[in-house]
Amino acid sequence: MLTVVLSGLRARWASFLGGFVALALGVGLLAVMGLGLSATIHAPERSPQRFASSPVVVQGQDRLTLDVRRGPETVSVAQRLDRPQPVDNQLLRELKARWTLTASGGPDAFGVDAPAAEVRALVGDRAQVLTGDERRRADPGSERDADALVGLNALLGTSGGVTAFVSVFVVASTFAFAVALRRREFGLLRTAGATPGQIRRLLLAEATALGVLASAAGCALGALGAPLLARTLVDGGLAPEWFTVGGPAWPFHAAFWTGVTVALAGAVAASRRAGKVGPTAALREADVDADTLPLGRAVLGTGLLLAGLGLLAWTYATEPSALLKRKTYTTLPMLLITGIALLSPLLVRPVARLLRLRGAVGTLVRENSAASVRRTAAVAAPVLVTVALAGTLFGSATSVTRAKGVEAREQTAAQYVVRGTELKPVTAPAGAVVSPTGPTSVFVRDGDAAVVKYGARAVTDPAAFAELARLPVVAGDLRDLDDRSIVVNEEFERRRVGESVEVWRADGTGPVRLRIAAVLALGTGDNGPYVTRANAPGSAPDRIDALGGGTATVRALEASGGTVRTADAWAEAERPSNGGPQARLGMILVLGIALVYTVIGLANTLLMATSVRGGELASLRLAGATRAQILRVVTGEATLAVAIGTLLGLAVTALVLGALGAGLAALSAPVALALPWTTVGAAAGACATAAIAASALPAWRLTR
């Protein structure tokens, strides 16, 4: 058996080349993503910066710790404060009385030159005592770096998932089509006495050999590509400047065995199909596409398609805000893509026959595509993946960003908006209304089992705020906001106007009981709670809305130290329609992976398919067709298959964007859907170029 397998691989290396490259690339990417994920979880140890010379650091509390119920037990949960609390003045005096203190960067932390045990005994639970590497927690930017690593972890996990999905897709498609082309060979083997089990074992052995070789090559690629990934992420602003990858061996083990598993999984269905072919049936049907949609494939495709549609409907009905999240519109389309790809043979003939192409070349293109369903579907499937991912990723992200921008503009009646950090106070000129607000947080119990941190806005002048704000109020009145009340959204467990809600402030002080003055619709997620400055300690204005007053207002706003824009210009700058650079880089990474796999799949499929059509093309030459006409037929078939895949990908995009639009409407947010025609067109164009080249080259060689 091993001799037959190795001989077959040597003889048909061109047929396996595409699968080998796709699998090696997939394993390499998985290894790189695994190394990146490991680096985000186990960040390299860095020496403290702010208090590098102090052996002990006393820092104010930076967590709010509350008791919650978990089943029959009571446990403590901690939520991070916006900023550490200042060290208590009394504690500070006690520390100064005994040891030398080092101040650096603010009252939230001090270095102490003393034994750690003695400092802990004095401090108790009034502050945190940090030693060793824990002193990094007092460094500026430590929390920002931690947040960046969390976002990077999500990006790499998503990219790894897309890599695994697309590699399985391409490898399975390659094996399935290769088996279809080898039916005559299997018929001869069956005639020579081979059993169905031997045929299946032959294919599985070939897949194992291919998987081992490709996975080994992929691990080598991963080791070379990991440093390049780190530099790209740092240069793109997705990772901190000190971010590096490398070290652990588990990503290579995981990638290697995943590659072998993917190769076997892609060959299982093909081997079962090959084992069912009888000798005479194989010889009789070797060049005829019959039974292109077996019952198992039809059932699986229908099930995945219904599951994808059902999950979209269920998400819309239970949590429409989840439809706006990148994780949802990245992963949910995969079910729809797989389901439609499995059912694509049903659509090939009807779509091809609908075309009314003129002339002999057009007729041959139409009829050959309709007759060779497997070939057409095998070409359309990877195009479907790329176009669907391009449409859903970029379309959903652009639609959500555009909806946020429209919503932000609709929610203020201001003529001018100022943005900046720690804006200076502004005196409103005669006839002008000026409303400064700043970022803060509030902590609220969600029943007895959780404590939720809400990003909120601190209002300096409630009357001016109520005059300029156009928030989606579903109950109550913004004019009732004062130092003893709060404006909440529909996410709050307690959201009835007049009720009281127990709140902890951004610095951990509380609880205070605030009356609910108004309730807002959830919107795109930015309609957070609003409190007055009295309940937002430490908050400084970062936005000023202004209306009226003419040029005097503009001059006054310029004195705040921020950037003054008209409201329309501010809305566009705040939420650019094409998203932020980091979000675009992440989506380009995912789409780039899919596009590379698509090109590999198209080239492999069309090279195999066209190379075995020597007899057919020779017959066309004998019938009087010129070489140019034959090339137009072959490339026309490839173009038609790409067009079918593009249409199916657009259908998936329409389903996802339709669900997103329904979710935005359910959240009382503006519905501003956008289909990224440029991105989709570029993806489809790249697929068409690869398909035409991969079909024209072997056809040119065969017709010489």
Side-chain angles (χ1 to χ4, degrees):
M1 175 68 74
L2 182 60
T3 303
V4 176
V5 169
L6 295 178
S7 299
L9 289 176
R10 284 196 300 269
R12 288 182 297 274
W13 65 269
S15 300
F16 292 104
L17 181 60
F20 177 88
V21 173
L23 197 56
L25 179 62
V27 170
L29 288 172
L30 287 176
V32 170
M33 300 303 171
L35 290 169
L37 286 172
S38 177
T40 62
I41 297 171
H42 305 289
E45 298 294 335
R46 295 184 301 133
S47 59
Q49 302 296 318
R50 183 178 173 188
F51 294 103
S53 61
S54 299
V56 179
V57 175
V58 176
Q59 184 181 41
Q61 298 292 346
D62 62 353
R63 297 288 191 276
L64 172 66
T65 303
L66 298 174
D67 292 334
V68 298
R69 298 287 298 177
R70 296 287 169 84
E73 299 180 352
T74 299
V75 299
S76 296
V77 297
Q79 289 279 6
R80 192 175 70 200
L81 302 177
D82 286 1
R83 61 190 64 83
Q85 298 174 348
V87 177
D88 179 70
N89 289 331
Q90 177 60 35
L91 174 59
L92 198 57
R93 285 192 292 268
E94 295 176 15
L95 291 170
K96 287 181 178 179
R98 298 186 57 179
W99 301 295
T100 301
L101 301 187
T102 301
S104 175
D108 62 302
F110 294 88
V112 183
D113 189 8
E118 296 182 17
V119 175
R120 285 194 177 94
L122 175 64
V123 172
D125 60 358
R126 292 180 290 177
Q128 303 176 90
V129 178
L130 310 177
T131 59
D133 290 336
E134 285 189 341
R135 292 174 296 165
R136 294 196 307 268
R137 291 172 54 184
D139 291 345
S142 61
E143 297 294 351
R144 183 178 61 252
D145 288 350
D147 291 339
L149 290 179
V150 171
L152 184 58
N153 185 283
L155 171 63
L156 294 176
T158 301
S159 301
V162 171
T163 299
F165 167 73
V166 181
S167 62
V168 170
F169 205 96
V170 171
V171 171
S173 177
T174 298
F175 271 100
F177 191 65
V179 167
L181 294 179
R182 294 170 64 186
R183 282 174 296 173
R184 189 179 298 276
E185 173 193 341
F186 296 143
L188 292 173
L189 288 174
R190 291 298 310 279
T191 303
T195 65
Q198 288 176 321
I199 298 294
R200 288 194 294 268
R201 288 194 294 274
L202 172 66
L203 287 175
L204 291 176
E206 290 177 350
T208 302
L210 179 69
V212 170
L213 294 174
S215 297
C219 288
L221 288 175
L224 295 174
L228 178 62
L229 172 71
R231 288 196 298 271
T232 302
L233 293 173
V234 171
D235 294 342
L238 294 173
E241 294 182 357
W242 47 264
F243 180 77
T244 58
V245 298
W250 70 261
F252 293 102
H253 287 285
F256 180 88
W257 294 111
T258 299
V260 175
T261 304
V262 166
L264 287 173
V268 165
S271 66
R272 289 175 59 86
R273 182 176 180 81
K276 293 178 181 179
V277 176
T280 57
L283 293 174
R284 184 175 63 249
E285 298 180 1
D287 295 319
V288 177
D289 276 353
D291 189 26
T292 56
L293 189 65
L295 179 61
R297 177 170 177 165
V299 171
L300 181 59
T302 303
L304 289 174
L305 180 59
L306 292 177
L309 294 173
L311 280 175
L312 279 177
W314 181 79
T315 305
Y316 164 74
T318 58
E319 191 181 358
S321 60
L323 294 170
L324 280 60
K325 298 177 181 178
R326 186 183 306 171
K327 180 180 178 181
T328 301
Y329 59 73
T330 301
T331 56
L332 264 184
M334 293 182 185
L335 288 174
L336 298 173
I337 291 170
T338 309
I340 292 179
L342 290 173
L343 298 175
S344 60
L346 287 178
L347 306 174
V348 169
R349 282 197 178 101
V351 173
R353 292 276 164 75
L354 284 175
L355 296 176
R356 291 293 181 263
L357 301 177
R358 297 179 179 179
V361 172
T363 301
L364 283 173
V365 168
R366 183 181 67 244
E367 296 303 323
N368 285 347
S369 299
S372 302
V373 173
R374 286 195 183 94
R375 183 180 68 228
T376 307
V379 174
V383 179
L384 159 64
V385 174
T386 300
V387 172
L389 286 178
T392 55
L393 280 178
F394 284 83
S396 298
T398 303
S399 298
V400 170
T401 303
R402 183 176 294 181
K404 287 178 178 289
V406 173
E407 182 183 59
R409 182 62 186 93
E410 290 179 349
Q411 290 181 356
T412 180
Q415 290 177 293
Y416 304 100
V417 177
V418 184
R419 290 292 277 177
T421 57
E422 298 185 359
L423 298 175
K424 299 175 183 177
V426 173
T427 301
V433 180
V434 175
S435 173
T437 59
T440 188
S441 298
V442 294
F443 302 88
V444 181
R445 287 187 182 274
D446 187 4
D448 295 330
V451 177
V452 181
K453 179 180 180 179
Y454 290 97
R457 299 292 296 176
V459 176
T460 301
D461 186 344
F465 169 74
E467 185 172 348
L468 294 183
R470 297 294 182 266
L471 299 175
V473 178
V474 296
D477 195 328
L478 295 179
R479 292 174 294 184
D480 294 334
L481 177 65
D482 56 28
D483 293 345
R484 297 182 300 278
S485 63
I486 183 174
V487 175
V488 303
N489 60 38
E490 292 177 316
E491 274 190 327
F492 273 61
E493 182 187 29
R494 300 175 68 88
R495 53 180 181 271
R496 182 178 299 175
V497 174
E499 286 185 330
S500 293
V501 59
E502 198 173 64
V503 171
W504 283 261
R505 302 184 181 97
D507 64 350
T509 58
V512 294
R513 299 192 67 83
L514 300 178
R515 176 180 51 83
I516 296 176
V519 181
L520 306 178
L522 191 58
T524 60
D526 290 338
N527 296 335
Y530 289 84
V531 295
T532 62
R533 289 286 300 277
N535 292 305
S539 175
D542 66 348
R543 170 178 165 181
I544 302 176
D545 292 22
L547 174 66
T551 57
T553 300
V554 175
R555 289 194 297 270
L557 295 176
E558 289 173 346
S560 67
T563 303
V564 182
R565 296 187 179 96
T566 64
D568 291 335
W570 159 78
E572 175 59 28
E574 193 83 355
R575 302 287 185 183
S577 58
N578 57 355
Q582 295 182 357
R584 287 200 304 275
L585 180 59
M587 290 187 293
I588 289 171
L589 175 63
V590 173
L591 183 59
I593 292 171
L595 186 58
V596 169
Y597 272 109
T598 296
V599 170
I600 293 172
L602 287 174
N604 186 61
T605 300
L606 286 169
L607 285 172
M608 285 192 300
T610 309
S611 297
V612 298
R613 298 176 67 183
E616 175 190 346
L617 300 183
S619 299
L620 289 175
R621 290 299 302 272
L622 292 174
T626 65
R627 173 185 277 187
Q629 288 176 321
I630 291 176
L631 290 177
R632 288 203 299 272
V633 169
V634 174
T635 56
E637 293 170 8
T639 304
L640 177 58
V642 170
I644 292 173
T646 301
L647 290 175
L648 296 178
L650 290 174
V652 174
T653 301
L655 288 173
V656 174
L657 292 184
L660 175 61
L664 288 169
L667 295 169
S668 301
V671 179
L673 299 181
L675 182 62
W677 291 108
T678 302
T679 305
V680 171
C687 294
T689 301
I692 291 172
S695 59
L697 290 176
W700 177 269
R701 181 178 59 84
L702 291 173
T703 55
R704 283 186 301 180

